[in-house]
Amino acid sequence: MNEQTEQTESGVVIVGAGMAGVQTAVALRERGFSGPVTLLGAEPHQPYDRPPLSKAVLLGKAEDSAFDVDFEGLGIELRLGTEVTGLRAAERELDTEAGPVPYEVLVLATGAQPLTLPGTGGVPGVHLLRTLDDAARLRPVLAAAPSIVVVGAGWIGAEFATAAREAGCEVTVVEAADRVLAGALPAEVAAPMARWYAEAGAELITGAEVAGVEEGRVLLADGRVLPAGAVVVGIGARPATGWLAGTGVELGPDGSVTADAHLRTTLPGVYAVGDCASFPSARYGTRLLVHHWDNALQGPRAVAANILAGEPVEVYDPVPYFWSEQFGRFVQYAGHHRGADTLLWRGDPAGPDWSVCWLKEGALVAVLAVGRPRDLAQGRKLIEAAVPVDPAKVADPAVPLKSTPV
């Protein structure tokens, strides 16, 4: 055991009790770390999973989505309702309202916070959907089935609109961009997904700026007024890293902690993982900031391995993956399509199931699958293998993707 590993035996402190923080703590124990592990969570609730919030929890099909983790049995000290306000690297201490918390190794896993709509602070009936408390506040609103205006036609907006329609609400979705998923997918790929709103009975208004929100209504910049028993804002999220300003932890223009290939920050003994951290991808030749569940599941394993070794032994360079359940469809995506030079369709986008594949220099780099889970699973393996594929076979939905390498 080297000197750095001996130091870590006096304590790993993890800031953030979401998926990334919990999985880091669990991974440390699974890999044999026997020193103190402390998990600091700002919320008072038992650590919980977020995806069910926009589905089962919101619709009253589940009370919560707490992780099935025996923290006490694993020897993980949970400090809930503990918000971290500062970091003093020279002393290796965190500042909290309950007093300083010393660390030998620190893991930043603070996640992301939703962007708010300017001018809506204090307006009754305006909601975000990020936390268990948010879902608890929204559940009786949906049960009352008012007319709801959703601001934002991204992934979370579509998922909330789906739940609201299932609850029997009238739903209008307002998007400032000229199309749905403008920040996530090319126009030609997002176009068929826009039709799902009407099919589900939701009205979609694109290219519409919100000028203001008043109790009971949403004012659009073009003068239209939308009645709104409730307003749900889903316009994106930003890494929850404001408290790190001036600490020596380098932050990128997007607010993310600038981690290296081993998920180390610019401070010694400090790592960052999950929604709050960006990392360099040699696979894609760019720095990635991934706000999805799988990243918060996979990254902690690399962090734990590097902490246990006391040196950088594991590079984190995944094929990003996420899924979304919306309007009766299961949408999955793997890879990173920016920089691709070829786009190929598999199947008819007007139909119930289809996929899109992106190639770069003859190799598959990303796949979007709608109701075609085999395409996703096989495509993900091809992306990881980085092998050349036959474009004609890739474009034939009858040919399994695993049979397309040349």
Side-chain angles (χ1 to χ4, degrees), residues 148-205:
I148 289 181
V149 173
V150 180
V151 182
W155 299 114
I156 189 64
E159 290 184 6
F160 181 82
T162 299
R165 286 298 298 141
E166 187 175 332
C169 304
E170 289 185 16
V171 177
T172 301
V173 180
V174 177
E175 170 58 51
D178 61 359
R179 55 191 175 86
V180 303
L181 295 165
L185 295 173
E188 62 185 300
V189 177
M193 303 169 85
R195 295 193 288 267
W196 300 349
Y197 287 78
E199 292 173 9
E203 182 181 3
L204 173 65
I205 304 174

Side-chain angles (χ1 to χ4, degrees), residues 12 56-57 65 84 86 128 174 176 181 238 246 254 317 333 363 379 389:
V12 176
V57 175
S65 54
V84 179
L128 298 168
V174 177
L181 295 165
R238 183 175 175 84
D254 54 14
D317 193 5
Y333 177 95
V389 293

Side-chain angles (χ1 to χ4, degrees), residues 168-258:
C169 304
E170 289 185 16
V171 177
T172 301
V173 180
V174 177
E175 170 58 51
D178 61 359
R179 55 191 175 86
V180 303
L181 295 165
L185 295 173
E188 62 185 300
V189 177
M193 303 169 85
R195 295 193 288 267
W196 300 349
Y197 287 78
E199 292 173 9
E203 182 181 3
L204 173 65
I205 304 174
T206 56
E209 293 274 358
V210 173
V213 177
E214 300 173 355
E215 186 172 4
R217 61 184 196 163
V218 174
L219 313 176
L220 301 184
D222 62 9
R224 281 180 286 182
V225 178
L226 306 177
V231 178
V232 177
V233 179
I235 56 175
R238 183 175 175 84
T241 56
W243 65 283
L244 290 168
T247 62
V249 174
E250 182 183 341
L251 303 178
D254 54 14
S256 66
V257 176
T258 305

Side-chain angles (χ1 to χ4, degrees), residues 60-115:
K61 298 176 181 179
E63 280 304 309
D64 60 35
S65 54
F67 292 117
D68 185 17
V69 174
D70 182 1
F71 294 101
E72 185 176 354
L74 288 172
I76 298 168
E77 182 184 355
L78 264 184
R79 298 189 193 177
L80 302 176
T82 303
E83 185 166 355
V84 179
T85 57
L87 164 61
R88 287 173 287 111
E91 292 82 13
R92 290 211 173 197
E93 280 190 342
L94 295 167
D95 291 322
T96 77
E97 291 180 353
V101 176
Y103 67 86
E104 287 294 340
V105 172
L106 176 65
V107 181
L108 305 175
T110 48
Q113 55 197 27
L115 297 175

